[in-house]
Amino acid sequence: MNKNHPFGMRIRYAIDNFMSKGSSSIFLALLGLFLFGFLIMVMIRGIANAFLPDETLSSWSEIPWRVYVAVMEGSAAETDGDSNWLAKLTSILGVLVGLILFSSMVAFITSVFEAKLDELRRGRSLVLEKGHTLILGFGDRILEVIRELIEANESETDASIVILAEDDKEEMDNIIRDNISDFCTTRVITRSGVVTNINNLKKVMAENAKSIIIMNSAASWRPENEKNLADALVLKSIMSIIAVCDGKEHSPIVCEIHSDRDRELAENISQGTVKALNEVSVLSRMIAQLALSRNGLSVVYSDMVGFDGNEFYFYQPDDGWGGSLTFGESLNRFKSSTPMGIHNKNGEILLNPPKDMQISDEDELIIFAEDDSTIFYFDEPVFNPSLQTIPKTQSEPKSHRVALLNWTTKTSIILEKLCSYLPEGSELNTYVEEMQPDMDICKTSLEKIYPKIKIKIEKIDLNNLENLNSINPHSFDSILILSPGGTTIEEMDAYVISLLIRIRQILLAELKTNNSDITKRWPKLITEVMDSDNIDIILNSGVEDFMVSNQFVSQIMAQVSEEPMALDVYDDLFQAEGSELYIKPASFYFDFSDQKSITVPYGECVQAAKLRNEVILGIQIHADQKNKDKMFGIILIPNKNDQFTLSEKDGLIALAEDET
C-alpha cells in the first residue's frame, strides 16, 4: 500500500479490500462490530453504575450479563429490573444498539441464504458424482436420451445423470419433470454453463464420468453454416474434456457430428474412445432398408436400439469356447438369446459370418438378448433340430418402383442406398416442391454408377391433390414420405400427416374402382415421424412402417454411451455390403405346398435359417400386424423350444445378405 496517501484514505482502502473478499469477510466485520458495540455498552453501564449505583446488581461482574440480555433480547421490558433512571437509560441504549446490530446480522444471514439459493437456481454449484453419465447440451432429443438411460440404469441401486447446458437450470428441471414421471433408481442433476468451458466441465466432474454424451446444437435440416458451427463446438467440447483429464485416458465420448470430415477428426482426436454419430446417414440407410422389406422391420429396429426391448451384447464365457466351436454350432448353445456375429481378436465386426467359421477363445460373440443377465452359454446344444432341407426360392430379387416425396438432407443418401440394394430394372422417382442444383448433381452421379436403374426427379405441388393423383401412387411398390425441415417438430409432423392423408385419399379412391385388385393397388407406405407422440395418428392413416427419427437417434446415442462398440455394429448393419435385416416369408424356410400351416418349435426356424446361411432373430405373425399391443406381430428371440403355428403369410426376421 502506498503510504503517501492520507491515513484515513488508506484505512478506507484496507476496509474495501477486506469487505470485497466475500460473505465471510462481511460476517467477520459484523461480528467484530457487534463485539465492539457490546464492549462499549458494558463500559457505559459501568460508568453509570459508578455515578449512580444500581441496587439490583449483586456485583460489578453482573453488568456484562445485564448488557448482554438487553442487547440480545431487544426489548425495553428488560429495563423494569433496574432500580434507577440512569440504569434504565443505559438499558434502553443497549436495546437500541442490539436492535441495530442484531437486525444487521439477521439481514446479512438472510441475504447469504438468498444468494446461495440464487446460485443453486442458476446451476453454478459443484457436482460431487462419480461413475455418472454426463450429457453436454440440452435439445429436442434430451428427453429420449434420459428415458433410455433410466431404463439402462434399472439394475443399479443408485445411478446418476448430470446435464450441463447453457439453458436455465429451472427451465431444464421443469421440462424434465413435466415429461418424465418415473426416474426409477436414477437421479438427474442439471447445471447451467458453457459446455466448452474447462472450469464448468470440472464442476460437473467430467473426469469421473462413466461416459459422456455431447448433443449437437444444430438439427440436420438447419443451414450448412449453422451445422458447421455446431460441429466445431462439439470438437471444442471434446478437446476441453481431454484438457480436463490432463491429456490422459478419458471416459468414452459419444457425439453427433454432421460433417464426414469433422466426424473422422473427432474419432481420431485422442487416444481414448470417441464415437461420432451421423444422424442423416444412419436414418437414411434405415429408411432405405424399410422400403425393401416386409412391413414391421421398423418395429424390430425400434426394439433393437432401445434398452426397453432387446439389444446386442459382446459376450465371452469365462472358461472360453472350448477350442472347436463354430459359429453355426453356437446358434444352439443359447436358449433365449441369439448370436448375430463375431467380434474377433483383431477388433473386426463380422455379422452373419460363415457357419463353419471357428470361434477362438479371444473372440467375442455379438449376442442379441433381452438383457446381459439372460445370456447363458451351454457346453452342449440346447436344441437338436431335425430339419435337413428347405424349399427352393427365387434366386433373383424382383425389381421395385419406389417413390420419394420431398427432398431433404436424407434424400440423396436414401437414393444412393436404394440403388445399391435394388436389382436392375428398378425405378426411383423423387417428387419435390422446388428443384435445386444439387438434385441434378445427385441424379447424374447415380446414373453413372447404376445405369440400369431408372432415376427421375420431378417438380410437383405436393399440396395439390390433382398433382399427387397424376403420379399414380397405386403404381408404386413403396412410397417414402420424408419429413422436411421446419421451425418446430410439431410443424414437421403436421406437414407429413397432411401429405399422408392426401396420398391415402387417392389410394382409397383407387380401391373403390378396382376392388378386385386390392392387394396390388395399395403400395407400402413408409413415413418419417419426429415426435413419438404422433405414432397413433400415423398408424390410423394407412402407414405400414414408420421411422421415429428423434427417438431412434436418441436411443442409439444412449446405447453407444453404455457400449461404444455398438456403433460399429450399426455401421455394419446399415451398409449394403454384408448382411442386413429383412422380414422374409415363412415359405422361404418351410414347405406349405401340401398344407396351409405348420406347427414347429422355434429351434427348427433357427435351423432353417442356418441352412440358408442366415441368422434369424424372431418371427412375425401376420394376423397381429395391425395390433400395437402385440408389437405388430413381432416376436423376438423366443425360447428355442417354444411352438409356433406358421402359415405362408407369416414371416421370419432374418439377418441375411439380400431379400431373396
Side-chain angles (χ1 to χ4, degrees), residues 32-48 63-64 67-68 71 90-91 93-94 97 101:
L33 187 62
F34 184 86
L35 292 174
F36 178 75
F38 175 75
L39 292 174
I40 292 296
M41 289 308 304
V42 169
M43 291 175 60
I44 292 173
R45 184 65 183 260
I47 294 170
I63 290 177
V67 172
Y68 173 78
V71 170
T90 56
S91 293
L93 188 61
V97 171
L101 295 179

Side-chain angles (χ1 to χ4, degrees), residues 3 25 402 616:
K3 295 184 178 181
S25 299
V402 181
I616 68 161

Side-chain angles (χ1 to χ4, degrees), residues 290-422:
L290 292 182
L292 304 179
S293 185
R294 284 169 48 126
N295 302 336
L297 188 58
S298 63
V299 179
V300 179
Y301 280 137
S302 180
D303 185 273
M304 179 179 288
V305 300
F307 287 109
D308 190 27
N310 302 280
E311 54 270 357
F312 40 76
Y313 299 89
F314 294 83
Y315 177 80
Q316 186 182 55
D318 296 334
D319 300 328
W321 301 106
S324 60
L325 184 72
T326 64
F327 179 74
E329 292 170 340
S330 73
L331 296 174
N332 283 316
R333 299 296 179 89
F334 299 88
K335 274 188 178 178
S336 55
S337 52
T338 298
M340 293 175 58
I342 299 174
H343 176 232
N344 66 23
K345 57 185 177 183
N346 299 321
E348 298 173 314
I349 299 292
L350 305 171
L351 293 181
N352 187 26
K355 301 301 177 285
D356 58 355
M357 178 176 283
Q358 292 286 329
I359 304 173
S360 70
D361 286 341
E362 292 81 17
D363 296 338
E364 293 179 310
L365 281 180
I366 303 169
I367 306 291
F368 190 55
E370 184 176 358
D371 189 73
D372 55 356
S373 62
T374 64
I375 301 175
F376 298 101
Y377 173 72
F378 296 87
D379 293 329
E380 297 296 327
V382 297
F383 184 86
N384 294 302
S386 59
L387 188 68
Q388 297 300 323
T389 60
I390 54 174
K392 290 184 178 180
T393 57
Q394 65 180 74
S395 58
E396 294 294 329
K398 64 175 184 177
S399 60
H400 285 69
R401 293 192 76 238
V402 181
L404 291 86
L405 306 185
N406 286 318
W407 188 275
T408 73
T409 52
K410 302 181 185 72
T411 308
S412 59
I413 301 177
I414 293 173
L415 287 172
E416 180 187 351
K417 294 302 172 185
L418 284 172
C419 285
S420 66
Y421 293 136
L422 289 172

Side-chain angles (χ1 to χ4, degrees), residues 583-596:
I583 300 180
K584 300 187 179 185
S587 58
F588 283 17
Y589 304 87
F590 301 102
D591 187 3
F592 293 96
S593 57
D594 298 328
Q595 51 195 337
K596 291 184 178 180

Side-chain angles (χ1 to χ4, degrees), residues 551-654:
Q551 189 179 51
F552 268 69
V553 176
S554 303
Q555 289 174 330
I556 290 175
M557 291 187 75
Q559 193 177 103
V560 174
S561 73
E562 295 290 313
E563 176 49 76
M565 284 191 298
L567 189 58
D568 299 326
V569 177
Y570 286 124
D571 284 339
D572 194 279
L573 191 61
F574 298 140
Q575 63 184 0
E577 300 79 16
S579 296
E580 304 88 36
L581 284 178
Y582 298 94
I583 300 180
K584 300 187 179 185
S587 58
F588 283 17
Y589 304 87
F590 301 102
D591 187 3
F592 293 96
S593 57
D594 298 328
Q595 51 195 337
K596 291 184 178 180
S597 64
I598 180 173
T599 301
V600 293
Y602 179 69
E604 295 292 357
C605 299
V606 174
Q607 174 67 8
K610 180 180 174 182
L611 294 174
R612 287 174 51 86
N613 296 314
E614 300 172 356
V615 173
I616 68 161
L617 305 181
I619 62 176
Q620 182 190 50
I621 305 300
H622 180 267
D624 296 327
Q625 274 191 302
K626 301 293 184 181
N627 193 331
K628 184 180 178 182
D629 295 332
K630 292 187 177 181
M631 245 179 90
F632 305 98
I634 299 294
I635 303 172
L636 293 171
I637 49 174
N639 192 295
K640 290 182 174 59
N641 292 306
D642 289 351
Q643 299 277 336
F644 292 95
T645 300
L646 302 176
S647 69
E648 287 184 290
K649 293 183 178 180
D650 297 323
L652 269 65
I653 303 158

Side-chain angles (χ1 to χ4, degrees), residues 118-348:
D118 185 58
E119 181 185 353
L120 291 173
R121 281 193 294 267
R122 287 187 288 115
R124 306 290 186 182
S125 58
L126 185 67
V127 171
L128 297 179
E129 297 289 337
K130 188 175 182 180
H132 56 290
T133 300
L134 174 61
I135 302 175
L136 303 181
F138 194 92
D140 294 331
R141 294 201 178 99
I142 191 71
L143 294 174
E144 296 290 354
V145 172
I146 293 172
R147 289 190 185 104
E148 288 303 307
L149 292 174
I150 290 172
E151 191 75 36
N153 293 333
E154 274 193 333
S155 59
E156 299 183 28
T157 54
D158 181 33
S160 58
I161 300 170
V162 178
I163 302 170
L164 174 65
E166 294 184 36
D167 301 63
D168 180 72
K169 173 180 167 57
E170 279 190 290
E171 183 180 339
M172 290 190 286
D173 289 339
N174 290 336
I175 290 173
I176 293 170
R177 281 195 297 265
D178 290 345
N179 291 277
I180 301 175
S181 56
D182 187 5
F183 292 88
C184 298
T185 60
T186 301
R187 291 175 291 111
V188 180
I189 302 154
T190 59
R191 290 293 182 268
S192 184
V194 179
V195 298
T196 58
N197 184 280
I198 293 177
N199 290 327
N200 289 338
L201 291 173
K202 288 180 178 178
K203 283 184 179 180
V204 293
M205 296 295 171
E207 68 273 23
N208 294 334
K210 175 178 63 176
S211 60
I212 302 172
I213 299 174
I214 305 177
M215 312 294 287
N216 196 297
S217 58
S220 61
W221 61 85
R222 302 303 301 168
E224 203 64 30
N225 60 331
E226 286 188 29
K227 292 193 288 185
N228 289 337
L229 177 58
D231 286 351
L233 290 173
V234 171
L235 290 174
K236 186 181 177 185
S237 295
I238 296 173
M239 291 302 300
S240 299
I241 292 167
I242 295 171
V244 167
C245 298
D246 296 324
K248 300 174 184 176
E249 187 80 11
H250 56 75
S251 305
I253 299 173
V254 183
C255 59
E256 182 188 351
I257 296 182
H258 302 290
S259 163
D260 291 337
R261 179 197 60 198
D262 289 343
R263 192 162 50 256
E264 184 179 351
L265 179 61
E267 292 185 340
N268 296 285
I269 207 169
S270 72
Q271 298 299 317
T273 301
V274 179
K275 294 295 181 181
L277 176 71
N278 180 3
E279 170 206 343
V280 172
S281 178
V282 170
L283 292 179
S284 300
R285 290 181 286 179
M286 254 191 208
I287 293 171
Q289 287 185 11
L290 292 182
L292 304 179
S293 185
R294 284 169 48 126
N295 302 336
L297 188 58
S298 63
V299 179
V300 179
Y301 280 137
S302 180
D303 185 273
M304 179 179 288
V305 300
F307 287 109
D308 190 27
N310 302 280
E311 54 270 357
F312 40 76
Y313 299 89
F314 294 83
Y315 177 80
Q316 186 182 55
D318 296 334
D319 300 328
W321 301 106
S324 60
L325 184 72
T326 64
F327 179 74
E329 292 170 340
S330 73
L331 296 174
N332 283 316
R333 299 296 179 89
F334 299 88
K335 274 188 178 178
S336 55
S337 52
T338 298
M340 293 175 58
I342 299 174
H343 176 232
N344 66 23
K345 57 185 177 183
N346 299 321
E348 298 173 314

Side-chain angles (χ1 to χ4, degrees), residues 431-462:
Y431 300 97
V432 299
E433 296 273 2
E434 294 291 337
M435 294 296 293
Q436 299 172 10
D438 59 327
M439 298 177 185
D440 288 329
I441 295 172
C442 175
K443 178 177 178 290
T444 304
S445 174
L446 291 175
E447 285 176 333
K448 287 180 180 179
I449 303 172
Y450 305 99
K452 295 186 178 180
I453 294 179
K454 185 178 178 181
I455 303 171
K456 183 175 75 171
I457 301 176
E458 183 180 336
K459 176 184 175 181
I460 69 166
D461 183 1
L462 295 173

